[in-house]
Amino acid sequence: MEQPLSIELKNCTMGYGNFVVLKNISLQIPAGRIVAILGGSGGGKTTLLRHITGLNRPFSGEIFLEGKSLWSQSGRDFQKLRGSMGVLFQDGALLGQLTVAENVGLRLSELTKLNKKTIREIALYYLSLVDLADYAEFYPTELSGGMRKRVGLARALVAEPPILLCDEPTSGLDPINAAKMDELLLSMKERFPAMTIVSISHDLASVHKTAAQVVVLNEGHIAYNGNFSGLENTQDPFLRQFIERKVSSDKQEEALEKSLPDNIRQLMYDSLKDIIHRS
Amino acid sequence: MSDCKKKLKRPVSGSKTADLIAAIGSLVVFLINEIGAMALFMFGGLRAMVNFTSQISKILRQIAAIGYGSLFLIILIGLFTGMVIGLQGYHTLSQFGSTGFLGSAVALSLIRELAPVLTAIMVTGRAGSAMSAEIGVMRITDQIDALEVMNINPMNFLIAPRLTASLISFPLLTSLFAVVGIFGGYITGVLLLDMSSGIYFSRINSSVVWGDVLGCLVKAVVFAILVVTVCCYKGFFVHLRLDGKGAEAVGNATTSAVVLSCILILIFDYVITSFHM
Ligand SMILES: Nc1ncnc2c1ncn2[C@@H]1O[C@H](COP(=O)(O)OP(=O)(O)OP(=O)(O)O)[C@@H](O)[C@H]1O
Ligand SMILES: [Mg+2]
């Protein structure tokens, strides 16, 4: 049976100001899937995510969420569509003036009439999913980068939104915690089969383990869209480099071989000789 | 807002005069855009104040920061302002042999002008700059975007509590400033110089009318809205600034928020006074 589409992009051109990042992108994501977005650093993955959440408006093209065109909705319907998404930002984007537990419960405390005790209990539950229940009273600045990211994920998971968007949930985490994140996403998927999870990642092992659909962005286009085994068997030179972790081009080798002129290097060393100890 | 960023990019042309006209034109367009956006921002904030019952804890927190936090400063400034008017007024009035009017001079100048204006300027420097910087940092670290995707209206969450808190704090601080200032005039006039305290206070009683007090409170309310709107607006749209990025933009936003607030306070002071006269 065909799954209904959860996210659909039709010929979207995206960017900032007058700087185009992604050109004429079309993408279909059926409901109830884990989709991994891959691509080089600066390749526009975060940009894609920001446009799906409606934070930025595409220059052209249309974005459909749950079959509805995002930008032709009236205010309230737009909010409702957006409310169906939980978003983990690349840097967590936790509110600095609130504690971890308050951050996780923020949506409930702001938008519902639930009492404080209930909200706290809910927040602690989601924090325990990311193994951070002991840190409920900490402020975001008192956490490590990886911990902030996990709190961000806990916040995005509240109320199990139909669409979960994660910007690099595993980057900055050690292998054990990264594996835990994968398990968490898979168990979410198992317990809430209708949940669509879009996860940006640089971690091929984790993508292989979790994702049913893999999208690779390169130079403003979609270079690959399909399942992981298809990606492994591809003959496309860029994709091969990508999955084999090979240095991408002669350009890069050239850059590595390029050397700073000797006199300039000497000048730099000399001027720093009181600052950098060199034996 | 993003439109004005584009419009500010000047079209390239050969002639210097044309360039100049284009520059002036785009500046005017930019200013009009900015005023319009600020007005919309203000109405958004005022509208969001309707939900104040759900924001009580945030409002109290802001009152603590804006009002309570400024108490000492206002008392200090109010006292010395009153004392110096007392001194100046006494010497000026003594040239005409009418030192008896010192009470009126001190009270009227404080209540009509100095209390609302100086309070607003002091609170801008103390609390307004903090608002601008705090909201600006939230903007550049994606926190405001995070609020938006969680469907938490930043107007409700950030701006309205500050507006409500200022609307409560400004009139109180202004009144406090005036009272302390009158006491400062009393210190110079009666305690340090040789006026009788009966004359000082009876002149105040007979010269200050209800309209003066009302005008003072109207100014305080207008300045409260002005300061919060300008300071929050500058922080909120810090990412669209053309004169810097990141931390620098937050710094610039804070500076321009304080400068613009002070200028607008003085302009609106004149406008309100001219209606009042
Ligand atoms: N706010 C912005 N304004 C202008 N350009 C931006 C902005 N944010 C990102 N860009 C540009 O958009 C391009 C894509 O950036 P994006 O953040 O989407 O990359 P990414 O794929 O998420 O990279 P990474 O894996 O390093 O997070 C980059 O060239 C970047 O310079
Ligand atoms: Mg990114």
Side-chain angles (χ1 to χ4, degrees), chain A residues 1-38:
Chain A
M1 193 192 80
E2 274 286 291
Q3 280 278 11
L5 290 182
S6 174
I7 302 171
E8 185 178 15
L9 307 183
K10 270 191 192 158
N11 307 324
C12 287
T13 298
M14 309 166 175
Y16 306 92
N18 37 25
F19 177 62
V20 173
V21 178
L22 295 169
K23 278 165 262 157
N24 211 11
I25 297 274
S26 293
L27 179 63
Q28 301 187 324
I29 298 178
R33 255 196 199 172
I34 300 188
V35 181
I37 312 252
L38 298 173

Side-chain angles (χ1 to χ4, degrees), chain A residues 16 38 73 76 78 82 117 122 131 135 142 158 164-165 169 173 196 198 235 249 251:
Chain A
Y16 306 92
L38 298 173
Q73 302 295 312
R76 194 168 286 265
F78 182 89
R82 193 184 243 179
K117 202 163 148 265
I122 295 172
D131 220 357
Y135 291 87
E142 299 165 342
V158 169
L164 180 67
L165 305 168
L173 296 183
T196 310
V198 179
Q235 295 308 318
S249 64
K251 224 160 106 192

Side-chain angles (χ1 to χ4, degrees), chain B residues 82-91 99 102-103 106 181-197 200:
Chain B
M83 283 172 69
V84 81
I85 306 175
L87 201 58
Q88 289 280 8
Y90 186 86
H91 286 294
T99 50
L102 186 67
V106 171
I182 290 171
F183 178 68
Y186 172 84
I187 292 180
T188 18
V190 178
L191 300 185
L192 301 181
L193 303 168
D194 57 354
M195 267 189 76
S196 100
S197 86
Y200 183 80

